[in-house]
Amino acid sequence: MIIYNKTWYSNLRVQTKAQQSCDTGYITTDELKAIKQKYAVGFYSPNVFIRIGLFILTCVIILFASGLVGLMTMDSIRSLTGYGVLTIIGGIITYAVLGLMVKDKFHYRSGVDDALLYLSAILIFTGIYLLLNESINLYPEFGAFLACLIAIFLTLRFADTVTCAVAYLTLFYCCYILTTRFSSAITPFLLMLVSVFMYLSARKTLNKPYAINYSDCLTVLQIVTLTTFYLSGNYFVVREVGSNLSNLAPGTSLPLSWFFWAWTIAIPFAYILLGIKKKDVILIRAGLLFIGIAALTYRNYYYLMPIEIMLIMSGIVAIGTSYSIIKYLTPSKKGFTYADLNEKHIMDKLNIESIVIAETLAPAPIQTESRPAFGGGDFGGGGAGEKF
C-alpha cells in the first residue's frame, strides 16, 4: 500500500537504528559506515531548513499555476459547479505529480512531496465538497467524514503523521456531532470512550509486524488521543461547549461538576503514574503538559492568586514532579532510565552542515599573476633613475 520503495524504507529504519547505536557507543563508526553501505538508501531527503524552503517554493509554484489556469478558464469557474470540477482536476494533477516525484525522483520528506501531498488533498476535498453541497444540503459531519476518508487513504499511502492526525480529529468531530444530536449530556463520556478505544488500538497495533511502516503515525495517534481523552472531561471544555449546546446560563453550575473537576486535576497525575509504570515517555510528557492546563482551568473559575503566581506554582509542581521522577529513575530501573542516550540533536546537524556548505560554496581564492613589480623610480613619469 505504501508508495515509497519498500526496500529503501526498510533500510532507512536499519540506518536510523545503527546511527542511534553508534551514538550510544554500541558500534563503531566503521561499523556504522559498513551498515550504511550494505543497507543503502536512495531517497532524496534534505535537512529541515532546505525542506521548509522547498515546501514554500512548491506551494508558491502551485498557487501561481492555479492562478494562471484560473485566468485561462475564467468563463468556466463563474459557476460553483465549474469551480468545483476545475478544483478536482487540479487536485488530481497535483497528486499525479506527487506520484511522479516520489517514484521517479525518489523524494522522501523533501518538502516537495509534503507540499504536493497536502495541496492535492485540499484541492480534491474542496472540489468534492463544493459539488455535493451545491446539489444536496450536506450535514456538517459529512465534510468531516469526507476529509477523514481522504486523510486515511493518504496516511496508508504515504505514512504521513499530519494526515494521520487529521484523520483521527475529523473522525472525532464526526462522533461529537452525532452524539450531540441524541443527547449532549452523554457527549463527554462517549468521546472519552472513542479516545481510549483509539489509543488502545494504536498501542496494540504499534507492535504488529504489518504496521512497522506506520510507527511514527501510530505514535502521533497516541499523543492526539491522549489529548482528546483529557479534553473530553476537562471542566473548561465541557462547561463552555455544554453551555453553547444546552444554553446553560452564565454562573449556572454544570451537572456532575465534581466529576469533571476531579477529572481535570487527577488525569494529568494519572498519566504520569501510568507512564512510569508502563515505561511510556509519551504518557509522562502528556501528564506534565496537562498539569499546566489544569492550573489554567482552575484559575479561570476561581481566583486564588494572580495568573503569574498560578503559572509559577504550576511550574514548580511540574519541576518537582520531574525531579522526583529523575531521582526515582537514577539508577535505572528495569530498562527505564533517565540517562542521556546521546541522540543527536538537529542543531548539531545544522552546525556540521553549515560548515560543509560554507566550505563548499566559499569563493575560490583569487590567483594573482606573478608580474614584475614596477615602481621605485626617482622621478615621476618617464624619468626613471638607476633603480628598476
Side-chain angles (χ1 to χ4, degrees), residues 111-156:
V112 176
D113 55 341
D114 296 322
L116 292 172
L117 174 65
Y118 303 144
L119 289 177
S120 64
I122 292 172
L123 290 173
I124 293 175
F125 167 77
T126 305
I128 296 176
Y129 187 81
L130 288 177
L131 289 179
L132 293 178
N133 195 37
E134 188 183 22
S135 58
I136 55 176
N137 188 17
L138 295 178
Y139 288 106
E141 60 269 26
F142 180 82
F145 182 69
L146 177 62
C148 179
L149 292 180
I150 295 175
I152 289 175
F153 172 75
L154 295 177
T155 302
L156 295 175

Side-chain angles (χ1 to χ4, degrees), residues 15-25 27-29 32-33 36 48 285 339-353 356:
Q15 287 193 9
T16 303
K17 293 293 183 183
Q19 184 66 55
Q20 293 176 357
S21 300
C22 182
D23 294 339
T24 51
I27 62 175
T28 63
T29 306
L32 174 63
K33 190 180 298 182
K36 287 186 175 181
V48 65
R285 292 180 178 176
D340 187 6
L341 297 178
N342 294 326
E343 293 184 356
K344 282 189 175 180
H345 193 270
I346 190 170
M347 298 307 292
D348 299 333
K349 297 179 182 178
L350 170 66
N351 295 335
I352 295 173
E353 291 173 359
V356 172

Side-chain angles (χ1 to χ4, degrees), residues 304-315:
L304 292 179
M305 57 189 74
I307 186 64
E308 298 85 2
I309 304 299
M310 177 66 76
L311 290 175
I312 292 174
M313 295 297 293
S314 61

Side-chain angles (χ1 to χ4, degrees), residues 172 187-193 195 226-239 254 256-267 271 297:
F172 187 80
T187 299
F189 304 100
L190 289 178
L191 294 180
M192 292 175 193
L193 290 177
S195 301
L226 286 174
T227 304
T228 55
F229 181 67
Y230 174 70
L231 294 180
S232 298
N234 180 272
Y235 185 87
F236 176 81
V237 176
V238 176
R239 178 70 174 78
L254 184 71
L256 295 176
S257 60
W258 61 269
F259 171 81
F260 294 112
W261 273 122
W263 182 278
T264 302
I265 297 173
I267 287 298
Y271 276 2
T297 302

Side-chain angles (χ1 to χ4, degrees), residues 125-320:
F125 167 77
T126 305
I128 296 176
Y129 187 81
L130 288 177
L131 289 179
L132 293 178
N133 195 37
E134 188 183 22
S135 58
I136 55 176
N137 188 17
L138 295 178
Y139 288 106
E141 60 269 26
F142 180 82
F145 182 69
L146 177 62
C148 179
L149 292 180
I150 295 175
I152 289 175
F153 172 75
L154 295 177
T155 302
L156 295 175
R157 193 76 172 137
F158 295 91
D160 187 78
T161 54
V162 176
T163 57
C164 178
V166 171
Y168 169 71
L169 291 176
T170 49
L171 177 65
F172 187 80
Y173 180 72
C174 288
C175 296
Y176 164 74
I177 293 294
L178 292 176
T179 53
T180 53
R181 292 186 187 281
F182 296 101
S183 174
S184 60
I186 62 173
T187 299
F189 304 100
L190 289 178
L191 294 180
M192 292 175 193
L193 290 177
V194 171
S195 301
V196 73
F197 173 76
M198 293 299 296
Y199 173 75
L200 294 177
S201 300
R203 278 188 62 91
K204 186 176 180 181
T205 309
L206 186 62
N207 298 322
K208 300 295 183 182
Y210 58 82
I212 191 170
N213 292 329
Y214 303 98
S215 57
D216 292 339
C217 297
L218 294 172
T219 302
V220 170
L221 185 58
Q222 290 182 54
I223 298 172
V224 181
T225 51
L226 286 174
T227 304
T228 55
F229 181 67
Y230 174 70
L231 294 180
S232 298
N234 180 272
Y235 185 87
F236 176 81
V237 176
V238 176
R239 178 70 174 78
E240 299 304 320
V241 175
S243 62
N244 292 330
L245 293 176
S246 58
N247 297 321
L248 198 63
T252 306
S253 178
L254 184 71
L256 295 176
S257 60
W258 61 269
F259 171 81
F260 294 112
W261 273 122
W263 182 278
T264 302
I265 297 173
I267 287 298
F269 295 99
Y271 276 2
I272 295 173
L273 294 177
L274 191 61
I276 296 173
K277 183 179 179 181
K278 297 288 186 181
K279 294 183 283 190
D280 190 338
V281 70
I282 297 176
L283 281 169
I284 296 175
R285 292 180 178 176
L288 292 173
L289 173 64
F290 294 146
I291 286 177
I293 296 178
L296 290 175
T297 302
Y298 190 83
R299 173 62 178 76
N300 189 64
Y301 295 99
Y302 299 99
Y303 181 81
L304 292 179
M305 57 189 74
I307 186 64
E308 298 85 2
I309 304 299
M310 177 66 76
L311 290 175
I312 292 174
M313 295 297 293
S314 61
I316 292 174
V317 172
I319 293 173

